Amino acid sequence: MSDESKFLRLTVELTVEVLDMDALQAAALAEIRHPDSDLTEEERTEQAELVSSDDSGASALQWLIEPDHVLALVEHISEIEPREAVLGVEPAEEPSDEEEDEHEHA
């Protein structure tokens, strides 16, 4: 095999059901207001307003999942070196029964 670097992009799609929107938003707001947050006061206010006004919960969930958490999916594989994780959260339709029954290695 050549010494040239090879890169693979891993795509994971996960649909979650929001069981308690108020609790989800409260948890995100706690993260935004946490003293260790690197946000300025203006950024905190902007992000808090975004989370509070987003009825889908996507903005709140994005605050609760760190992109680096995704790297844990592959950290145990010694033949690769995780380089970057990017996270996007968006509203989705309810999954069909078929999608719920799919195996994790589909």
Side-chain angles (χ1 to χ4, degrees):
M1 191 162 183
S2 73
D3 291 338
E4 197 174 306
S5 293
K6 306 267 189 253
F7 294 89
L8 301 172
R9 180 171 311 230
L10 174 67
T11 303
V12 177
E13 184 173 316
L14 172 66
T15 302
V16 298
E17 180 181 359
V18 178
L19 302 175
D20 187 337
M21 180 65 73
D22 292 335
L24 179 65
Q25 289 175 329
L29 292 172
E31 284 293 315
I32 291 167
R33 294 180 179 130
H34 194 279
D36 292 341
S37 171
D38 291 336
L39 299 173
T40 66
E41 202 55 43
E42 183 178 320
E43 291 170 327
R44 285 180 205 269
T45 300
E46 180 182 307
Q47 290 300 311
E49 288 173 0
L50 182 63
V51 165
S52 297
S53 65
D54 180 5
D55 293 337
S56 74
S59 297
L61 185 58
Q62 193 152 1
W63 268 100
L64 299 173
I65 301 175
E66 294 288 330
D68 289 346
H69 294 166
V70 177
L71 295 179
L73 296 172
V74 296
E75 285 177 341
H76 68 285
I77 303 172
S78 60
E79 294 83 8
I80 63 170
E81 179 65 32
R83 296 293 186 187
E84 177 184 51
V86 177
L87 174 68
V89 179
E90 61 187 42
E93 297 296 318
E94 181 176 350
S96 68
D97 289 338
E98 267 183 29
E99 288 175 350
E100 290 177 3
D101 293 336
E102 285 182 7
H103 296 285
E104 61 187 50
H105 294 286

